[in-house]
Amino acid sequence: MHYVYVLESFKDCSWYIGSTSDIKRRIGEHNSGNSGFTNQHRPYKLLCYIGLPLKSDAERFEGYLKSGYGRRILKNMIRDYLKSKGGFIYGEKNKQNYN
């Protein structure tokens, strides 16, 4: 299986979207600072992930979620969950901190 995942930074609540065949290892790399782009925003928590049988499908879906329309759909999908946990959608006004 290949996974597309969304991480949220505890530091600034920014999101990172990625894909991998080993999700536990990859999240560990993000949180340990072994990933250049995410190093400044760590630590992270996993918001959601989806498993797909083909690597090409995972890469295509990752690209879609990183596009403007895909990111908008993703925000709408997890908006209620984040608000119920006292969080917020990155980039929205009236931000709240996590407890």
Side-chain angles (χ1 to χ4, degrees):
M1 291 294 284
H2 297 274
Y3 301 93
V4 177
Y5 59 92
V6 181
L7 301 178
E8 184 177 41
S9 167
F10 280 110
K11 183 177 181 181
D12 60 10
C13 295
S14 62
W15 289 1
Y16 179 81
I17 300 167
S19 62
T20 185
S21 60
D22 186 345
I23 196 163
K24 288 182 181 181
R25 175 192 54 81
R26 190 66 180 124
I27 293 170
E29 290 174 354
H30 287 298
N31 281 325
S32 69
N34 293 333
S35 182
F37 179 79
T38 57
N39 188 31
Q40 297 177 8
H41 304 277
R42 63 189 169 114
Y44 284 92
K45 70 175 180 177
L46 182 65
L47 279 183
C48 63
Y49 67 94
I50 184 171
L52 299 164
L54 299 176
K55 181 179 181 179
S56 59
D57 288 340
E59 290 171 344
R60 203 173 347 193
F61 191 59
E62 175 189 0
Y64 170 73
L65 291 179
K66 288 180 175 180
S67 73
Y69 187 70
R71 189 171 290 266
R72 192 167 38 242
I73 294 295
L74 182 62
K75 283 181 181 181
N76 288 335
M77 288 172 58
I78 30 190
R79 171 177 275 120
D80 292 337
Y81 167 75
L82 290 175
K83 287 183 178 178
S84 74
K85 298 296 181 190
F88 66 94
I89 303 295
Y90 184 68
E92 287 189 352
K93 294 181 180 180
N94 301 322
K95 297 178 184 178
Q96 295 173 251
N97 291 328
Y98 283 92
N99 295 329

